[in-house]
Amino acid sequence: MLKLPIILAALISADAGAATTLTVGKNELSSNRHYIHQSHMFHVEPHAIISSVLSDVRQRSLTERGEGIPFLDIDLSSNQLDDASAVFFTKELLALLKSKVIDESVDSQSEAKVPLSIKLVLAMNKLTPSGASSLFETLIGRKVESDPESATNSTLGISKNNQTSDNANNTNLDELEPVENSEDEAMPDFLIEELDLSFNDIGGHGVHPPNVQLLDSTRRLFEGGRTTSAPRILTLENCGIGPAFCRSIGRGFLNAFERKHDRSTNLSYRPSVLRIGGNSAIGDSGTVALAAALRMAMLNDGDNAKSGFDELDLSSCNVGDAGAEALALALSSNPGCLNRLDLSNNKISDAGSKALGRALVDALHSSGAVFEQIILDNNVGIGDDGAAALAEAMALGAVKSISIRSCSIQAEGIAAFGKAVLSLASRKQCDDLRHVHIDMSGNHFGTRKIKKKKGARYSASLIKDKASTNIKFIGKTLKGAAKRFSAETIGLTAESDDDEEVMGGLIDEEEDEDADGDKLKACGGMSFAGEIIRGDEYPLSQKKDLTRLLKISIGMRQCCLDDGALDALAASIAGAKNLDISVDASMNSGEENVVDALKSAEKDSKLLTMMAQRHMDLLDRIANARQRQLEAAEAAAARGAELGGAFFDEDDDFYDIGFDYDDDFD
């Protein structure tokens, strides 16, 4: 029986000019971007898929001039490719691209050489740690056994005497010598932009045990060098990666900066975007290992090469405050070692969030580094204190984008971001910061109650609900009668016509929520808008003259915001004279046209103007109500003094109905 590589070699060596009879998947051409998507082909043998893809690549003109950089996107996910198939395909693809790009460059006689970028997706296949090791060795240019017999072996040329799980975990990576790559000053013919091996059990914390050869190959991959074809973006989500794998990454990362010929090595030829989310075994231990490497990998002043990752994705990796604090230490000690950090779906609390916020501020003060994006979604331990620390970093212009969706943030933390937005707009050092993103969706900081689903027509829940309603009605009637009796007996006077109706039991005092000043403090949407509205009332001469408005994009989806909160947000949009604010308030109480108006943020919108005016009228009513309460309290105190304090004393809080008299409410 012929082995797989022999079958593939026979298919590939066929007449290059003849079109293949197998057409599977989705092949597209868009300008200078080439797409070959042949995923989820369970009914097709792997060798047929590989042959079809290579034949398609051979027939395309990949380097012809067009819009943008030449780009080739190949997706072979969910095709049941095993180690032999994946490694063989990668080797043949690299060899084919090298010869093809050279030939096309000679034919075109183009002076400006633009390398071809490649995205290769091999996710959800049957790769093992041994296969991943061979794949990495292929990318870094090391010779991998290609004999058919050994290639179809599960180890693909790796020694059968691989160390056991315990030996792999106990391997001292410091003793492994870094590979010395020869230098080539010429620009490569092609660059692997992205390699995706997600959902392959290769990390050693799944069905397959750890493999020391994979740890060594990973270290070499991150050492980089000009002769390697290392991907710029490496995606290894849900691959069973653990702390040992992270230590290999860190060791290779450090070796790249410790070698004597660092200054002559282009450090760009190594992964600069690492996406390893969904690997719960990483935890704080693996995160600390990566953070230590980022902290120690510092270049001398004047070096152009980056000393860290452009992006690090550690979402759903079981990271706690210890891991977050380690990353914070790396950010403050080595500013610029990271640009984007994703720590969503972990176990971080206020302590870790505050450490990250302080680190962003320290990095800004020490080097002027501005962080691009930090994502802390679905860390339920983050509350108002953690949000306030991140808001302080944003207020100073230390970060451009913050996402804290589905945490535990309430009105106080949301108000801190309102202050940050206002402060950011007035800072002179933020002239280059033109667009800021804040996503607070999923935090239930609104006052709109979520309606519970009622039962059937005659269910117990419905009967109970009706009984509660009837009892509440009786209670309101008795309460109104008691208020009328008290007013007639004691001689209390109503402060307004509405108060007379409340005293007489005609309307419910609790239902008149429009004039509830405490609601402004309890609702995060109103608190956020209130900070901007109050801040915008200061004279414009105290603010800097902006030639262009600072754009603020706010996410407040599914935050239990009622119509009053949406009116407040509309007032902040329409009234902000030096800010361009847009709010995504979908999945709340607002109608579709209201949501669209808040998102489009057109200041001359009639709907926004009407909503804003409604909120400002509410503020006026609350201010007037407070003034009347103060006057009524003073009058009552005077009457009590005349009666000798028989009815009231200084500690009586009868007239205090929830407003803070000392507040300066504008």
Side-chain angles (χ1 to χ4, degrees):
M1 182 177 178
L2 292 175
K3 298 299 182 179
L4 176 63
I6 298 178
I7 298 175
L8 292 175
L11 291 171
I12 295 169
S13 61
D15 185 8
T20 178
T21 58
L22 177 65
T23 57
V24 293
K26 179 181 179 182
N27 303 333
E28 297 180 356
L29 174 63
S30 174
S31 182
N32 220 18
R33 300 179 67 88
H34 302 262
Y35 299 90
I36 304 177
H37 289 187
Q38 297 188 7
S39 60
H40 298 85
M41 309 301 296
F42 300 111
H43 60 287
V44 182
E45 291 294 329
H47 66 81
I49 297 174
I50 293 174
S51 175
S52 174
V53 173
L54 293 176
S55 177
D56 196 347
V57 172
R58 183 180 295 107
Q59 296 176 28
R60 291 175 183 259
S61 178
L62 301 176
T63 58
E64 61 184 6
R65 290 187 175 276
E67 296 181 1
I69 299 175
F71 189 85
L72 175 62
D73 186 338
I74 300 177
D75 186 355
L76 297 181
S77 58
S78 299
N79 281 327
Q80 301 185 16
L81 300 181
D82 57 9
D83 293 344
S85 301
V87 175
F88 184 86
F89 171 74
T90 304
K91 290 176 58 179
E92 292 297 325
L93 177 65
L94 296 180
L96 174 61
L97 289 175
K98 184 174 182 179
S99 61
K100 185 175 181 61
V101 171
I102 293 176
D103 293 342
E104 292 182 0
S105 299
V106 173
D107 294 339
S108 63
Q109 297 180 353
S110 175
E111 297 181 359
K113 181 180 179 182
V114 180
L116 172 69
S117 294
I118 306 166
K119 177 181 178 181
L120 178 59
V121 181
L122 297 174
M124 291 181 284
N125 282 295
K126 294 183 177 180
L127 287 174
T128 68
S130 297
S133 175
S134 297
L135 188 61
F136 288 170
E137 294 290 346
T138 300
L139 294 177
I140 61 180
R142 300 189 71 194
K143 183 178 180 181
V144 179
E145 181 63 48
S146 59
D147 180 73
E149 290 292 335
S150 59
T152 54
N153 190 281
S154 61
T155 59
L156 281 92
I158 298 175
S159 173
K160 295 182 180 180
N161 297 324
N162 283 337
Q163 299 187 29
T164 63
S165 174
D166 294 337
N167 290 336
N169 286 327
N170 295 329
T171 301
N172 186 357
L173 297 176
D174 293 334
E175 297 176 356
L176 299 175
E177 294 297 330
V179 64
E180 296 293 338
N181 293 316
S182 61
E183 303 300 330
D184 183 6
E185 294 298 331
M187 180 177 290
D189 301 312
F190 57 86
L191 299 173
I192 298 183
E193 175 69 11
E194 181 176 356
L195 175 64
D196 189 348
L197 300 179
S198 300
F199 293 94
N200 285 288
D201 183 18
I202 63 175
H205 285 266
V207 176
H208 301 287
N211 187 313
V212 68
Q213 195 68 29
L214 174 61
L215 300 181
D216 186 26
S217 301
T218 302
R219 174 181 61 84
R220 296 178 185 276
L221 184 71
F222 279 84
E223 286 175 357
R226 290 186 179 275
T227 61
T228 69
S229 297
R232 188 183 71 86
I233 303 173
L234 180 61
T235 305
L236 301 171
E237 297 177 350
N238 294 278
C239 289
I241 291 173
F245 197 94
C246 293
R247 288 193 290 271
S248 293
I249 294 174
R251 183 65 265 174
F253 190 73
L254 289 176
N255 283 346
F257 295 92
E258 293 174 353
R259 291 187 301 201
K260 296 180 179 179
H261 56 280
D262 279 347
R263 295 183 180 277
S264 61
T265 300
N266 190 334
L267 298 178
S268 297
Y269 297 103
R270 62 172 178 78
S272 60
V273 175
L274 181 61
R275 297 169 180 165
I276 51 177
N279 294 285
S280 58
I282 289 178
D284 285 333
S285 179
T287 304
V288 169
L290 292 173
L294 288 171
R295 181 187 177 190
M296 297 172 62
M298 300 179 65
L299 296 179
N300 296 327
D301 294 338
D303 287 336
N304 294 325
K306 295 181 179 179
S307 61
F309 290 115
D310 289 331
E311 177 184 336
L312 178 60
D313 182 357
L314 289 170
S315 58
S316 303
C317 287
N318 204 25
V319 181
D321 288 335
E325 291 171 356
L327 289 170
L329 183 59
L331 290 174
S332 59
S333 301
N334 185 14
C337 66
L338 275 177
N339 287 327
R340 293 179 176 86
L341 177 62
D342 188 348
L343 290 172
S344 58
N345 301 298
N346 282 299
K347 302 186 300 181
I348 300 172
S349 69
D350 280 337
S353 181
K354 289 192 290 187
L356 290 169
R358 289 192 299 267
L360 295 177
V361 174
D362 292 341
L364 178 68
H365 288 163
S366 62
S367 67
V370 178
F371 206 72
E372 289 290 334
Q373 182 182 39
I374 185 168
I375 304 175
L376 293 168
D377 300 342
N378 202 28
N379 284 281
V380 295
I382 298 179
D384 290 342
D385 291 341
L390 295 172
E392 181 182 357
M394 175 158 282
L396 297 173
V399 57
K400 296 180 181 179
S401 176
I402 294 178
S403 181
I404 44 175
R405 299 180 299 174
S406 301
C407 295
S408 301
I409 304 171
Q410 297 301 312
E412 184 179 351
I414 303 303
F417 278 102
K419 295 178 182 178
V421 168
L422 198 63
S423 174
L424 188 61
S426 61
R427 299 189 68 85
K428 294 182 179 180
Q429 58 266 43
C430 297
D431 288 336
D432 296 333
L433 196 62
R434 304 313 326 162
H435 197 169
V436 172
H437 299 265
I438 309 172
D439 197 345
M440 302 172 281
S441 303
N443 291 282
H444 296 169
F445 49 75
T447 56
R448 177 172 175 263
K449 296 181 180 179
I450 301 176
K451 295 182 178 180
K452 297 182 180 179
K453 186 177 181 181
K454 296 182 179 180
R457 182 176 182 181
Y458 297 106
S459 64
S461 60
L462 183 59
I463 295 173
K464 181 179 178 182
D465 182 70
K466 289 184 176 181
S468 300
T469 302
N470 293 335
I471 293 174
K472 185 176 181 181
F473 174 76
I474 295 172
K476 291 178 182 179
T477 304
L478 295 175
K479 183 178 179 181
K483 287 185 177 182
R484 288 196 301 273
F485 175 78
S486 299
E488 295 171 357
T489 304
I490 302 178
L492 295 178
T493 59
E495 299 171 6
S496 66
D497 294 338
D498 290 340
D499 291 335
E500 290 179 358
E501 294 178 346
V502 171
M503 286 184 175
L506 299 178
I507 63 174
D508 182 20
E509 182 181 19
E510 295 178 355
E511 291 180 353
D512 187 19
E513 295 181 352
D514 284 344
D516 188 358
D518 287 343
K519 185 178 180 181
L520 297 177
K521 296 181 180 179
C523 176
M526 287 189 173
S527 299
F528 177 87
E531 295 294 339
I532 297 175
I533 293 171
R534 283 193 293 271
D536 200 62
E537 293 175 356
Y538 293 108
L540 293 179
S541 59
Q542 297 181 7
K543 302 177 181 179
K544 67 173 185 175
D545 182 18
L546 294 176
T547 57
R548 291 184 301 168
L549 295 180
L550 174 64
K551 184 172 180 57
I552 309 291
S553 297
I554 307 295
M556 290 188 179
R557 301 175 299 278
Q558 202 172 6
C559 293
C560 300
L561 300 178
D562 58 9
D563 292 340
L566 299 181
D567 288 347
L569 293 173
S572 67
I573 293 174
K577 299 179 178 61
N578 61 342
L579 293 171
D580 182 8
I581 302 176
S582 63
V583 181
D584 184 357
S586 54
M587 294 184 284
N588 287 292
S589 66
E591 300 293 336
E592 185 176 355
N593 60 335
V594 172
V595 173
D596 292 340
L598 292 173
K599 183 180 287 188
S600 60
E602 297 178 0
K603 294 181 181 292
D604 56 351
S605 169
K606 294 182 179 180
L607 179 57
L608 278 184
T609 303
M610 181 186 69
M611 294 170 62
Q613 186 60 50
R614 193 162 54 202
H615 179 70
M616 300 309 294
D617 292 342
L618 170 64
L619 297 183
D620 291 339
R621 291 200 303 273
I622 294 176
N624 293 333
R626 288 190 171 184
Q627 182 62 33
R628 292 196 302 269
Q629 290 161 6
L630 286 172
E631 294 173 355
E634 293 174 356
R639 288 196 298 269
E642 293 177 358
L643 296 174
F647 294 98
F648 306 102
D649 55 33
E650 296 179 355
D651 297 329
D652 199 341
D653 59 349
F654 182 81
Y655 288 95
D656 186 3
I657 62 173
F659 295 107
D660 188 359
Y661 303 142
D662 296 330
D663 284 349
D664 181 15
F665 189 85
D666 297 326

